[in-house]
Amino acid sequence: MRRTAKGIAVLAAATLALSVAACGGTDEAADEQPTVDPASLTAELTWWDTSDPKNEGPAFQELIAKFNQTHPNVKINYQSVPFGEAQNKFKTAAQANSGAPDILRAEVAWVPEFASLGYLYALDGSELLADSADFLETPLASNKYDGKTYGVPQVTDSLALMYNKELLSKAGISEAPKTWAELKTASKAIKEKTDAEGVYVNPAGYFLLPFMYGEGGDLVDTANQKIVINSAENAAGLAIAKDLIDSGAAVKPSANDSYGTMMTLFKEKKVAMIINGPWEVNNVQQAPDFGGLENLGVAPVPAGSATAGGPVGGHNYVIWSGMPQEKIDAAVAFVKFMSSAESQAFLSEKLGLLPTRTSAYQLDAVKNNATVAAFQPVVEAGVGRPWIPEAGQFFGPLDQMATEVLIQNKDPKAALDTVADKYKAEVVPAYEN
């Protein structure tokens, strides 16, 4: 591995900062170091990308090619890993100290969990956090655990009401529904006046959170260490979602690949409204019969009796703590490039994704992006999730509950009681039920 003398000193300093952080030492802001020649970095890195391989993956691979224009000796082994498998797959590999990627695109709830298990480098003191004030506060908060920072935000998002402007117009609807009651009325009008169904409610836990938040519900109360998933508010929210289906206002969801079915029906203009996020904008844009972005409407999720808001989501870049020390400097360089304002603006322009850097919103590719502008009020209305190590384990039981309530017709309160018992037994046993 050929490095200049000056480069060795700089890289050693960066490696030391990360090594101390990973071992739980005291971190201080790193002194400004001389610029390293990117060509002096030599390494082979594996990156697990958990984005949609057809919709989003090609844009990330374009960024890798851009990175290699300035870092020709850093080889990135790009691996697309299904999102639904990545969490457990990473934990298994990291625990075995074999087969884990050097860099992972982690869902925001995974970071505190992985950090608590010792699977991630703390980045305090590294150049990745030298400009941490540029990151938006909420996305950056998802990377913190026990006073340290274990990742940098890649993208932020929340769920929105996405709709077909043409179909709503044909049904005589001039603006997006602002409440669930308005959505139910609009959906019935669409069914009566067009050839399309009104709305599709995806039977998955994450997609039911807007209904529960709308009535003032939540999953857990971290301040009081209490499980609140089976509250009356959450049961009322689920009853609203269930009523949309039972009344015929919403399509009866598919038991198999419900998410894929929802997107197909929406892209083919067979359903007018869905609850989804900015990660699907490029997918909708490319649909041959939809009508492009000009026909895509985006609005905050409808309100319940208490509020309106979807869950704050997104993804972060993290570095595996088991990575060989000699590769850390290249990993830092890669993550720094991928999380830069310019890279985030590139992804906004290509995919409609929302940047996590304040400075990115000043770039033309973002300032002039209608999709980003449409999703900004959606994210502003987002409801923060509990950034605790167990947060990534909440959604397995929630998904099962969603299937039981929306497809199998189980009583919402009874299904939520089952989730609460599961949380107590397996997820947060120290919390009061």
Side-chain angles (χ1 to χ4, degrees):
M1 199 179 295
R2 292 183 296 173
R3 292 174 177 169
T4 64
K6 182 166 72 172
I8 290 174
V10 174
L11 297 179
T15 299
L16 178 62
L18 283 175
S19 300
V20 171
C23 295
T26 301
D27 297 307
E28 297 179 357
D31 294 333
E32 184 177 348
Q33 298 287 348
T35 302
V36 179
D37 178 9
S40 71
L41 290 175
T42 302
E44 185 171 340
L45 303 171
T46 297
W47 178 40
W48 281 6
D49 177 21
T50 58
S51 71
D52 184 282
K54 293 182 180 179
N55 178 31
E56 298 174 289
F60 291 112
Q61 293 181 68
E62 281 191 60
L63 278 180
I64 292 174
K66 289 178 180 289
F67 172 76
N68 282 138
Q69 290 174 5
T70 53
H71 296 76
N73 298 314
V74 179
K75 181 181 179 181
I76 306 297
N77 293 323
Y78 174 88
Q79 295 182 14
S80 178
V81 179
F83 175 78
E85 302 173 10
Q87 182 182 11
N88 289 332
K89 188 174 181 179
F90 179 81
K91 285 195 294 185
T92 299
Q95 183 179 26
N97 202 36
S98 176
D102 302 305
I103 300 158
L104 172 70
R105 175 185 182 265
E107 205 271 344
V108 288
W110 301 351
V111 179
E113 177 188 12
F114 295 163
S116 73
L117 295 171
Y119 297 159
L120 303 179
Y121 272 109
L123 303 178
D124 306 81
S126 82
E127 60 181 302
L128 286 177
L129 296 180
D131 59 349
S132 60
D134 189 40
F135 286 111
L136 301 176
E137 182 178 356
T138 299
L140 185 62
S142 69
N143 290 282
K144 296 182 181 296
Y145 171 71
D146 199 23
K148 297 186 182 297
T149 304
Y150 289 87
V152 293
Q154 179 209 43
V155 64
T156 188
D157 59 55
S158 187
L159 292 174
L161 177 67
M162 299 170 66
Y163 59 95
N164 185 310
K165 294 179 181 178
E166 178 187 356
L167 289 175
L168 264 66
S169 178
K170 285 183 177 179
I173 302 167
S174 59
E175 60 180 9
K178 291 183 171 59
T179 67
W180 296 119
E182 288 181 7
L183 181 137
K184 181 177 180 180
T185 300
S187 183
K188 290 184 174 181
I190 290 164
K191 289 186 67 173
E192 293 172 0
K193 299 178 181 179
T194 76
D195 294 330
E197 296 283 350
V199 65
Y200 192 108
V201 178
N202 185 34
Y206 190 77
F207 290 81
L208 290 184
L209 289 179
F211 292 93
M212 294 189 280
Y213 290 159
E215 300 306 307
D218 209 334
L219 306 182
V220 294
D221 176 353
T222 55
N224 297 303
Q225 292 202 326
K226 185 175 182 180
I227 296 167
V228 297
I229 181 62
N230 56 339
S231 67
E233 291 82 3
N234 283 337
L238 290 185
I240 292 172
K242 188 174 184 297
D243 175 67
L244 288 173
I245 296 169
D246 293 346
S247 68
V251 180
K252 184 172 180 57
S254 170
N256 297 312
D257 190 20
S258 182
Y259 184 93
T261 300
M262 173 179 69
M263 290 311 304
T264 297
L265 292 175
F266 187 65
K267 290 187 295 182
E268 294 179 352
K269 300 197 292 188
K270 295 177 180 177
V271 65
M273 297 179 288
I274 60 173
I275 304 296
N276 218 329
W279 56 86
E280 284 292 358
V281 168
N282 189 53
N283 191 12
V284 173
Q285 179 183 13
Q286 293 180 349
D289 299 324
F290 185 82
L293 294 182
E294 296 78 11
N295 192 38
L296 177 63
V298 175
V301 292
S305 63
T307 189
V312 171
H315 291 83
N316 304 319
Y317 294 108
V318 296
I319 298 175
W320 177 39
S321 59
M323 171 193 293
Q325 294 289 312
E326 62 268 18
K327 297 203 296 184
I328 292 174
D329 309 297
V332 168
F334 178 65
V335 172
K336 184 177 181 180
F337 174 86
M338 296 294 284
S339 62
S340 69
E342 292 75 17
S343 292
Q344 292 192 7
F346 172 84
L347 293 175
S348 286
E349 188 172 28
K350 284 278 185 177
L351 304 174
L353 300 182
L354 277 64
T356 61
R357 286 186 177 274
T358 300
S359 58
Y361 286 90
Q362 306 307 313
L363 300 178
D364 288 342
V366 180
K367 282 197 299 185
N368 301 328
N369 191 309
T371 301
V372 171
F375 270 98
Q376 277 188 292
V378 171
V379 172
E380 289 170 2
V383 178
R385 292 154 60 188
W387 305 129
I388 58 176
E390 300 85 358
Q393 304 301 315
F394 286 144
F395 290 96
L398 276 184
D399 287 342
Q400 179 62 35
M401 176 275 298
T403 298
E404 292 173 350
V405 172
L406 299 188
I407 295 178
Q408 299 171 0
N409 207 33
K410 187 172 181 178
D411 175 70
K413 183 62 167 64
L416 290 170
D417 284 340
T418 299
V419 175
D421 291 341
K422 190 90 167 176
Y423 282 2
K424 178 65 176 177
E426 301 178 10
V427 184
V428 281
Y431 279 39
E432 178 188 349
N433 186 357

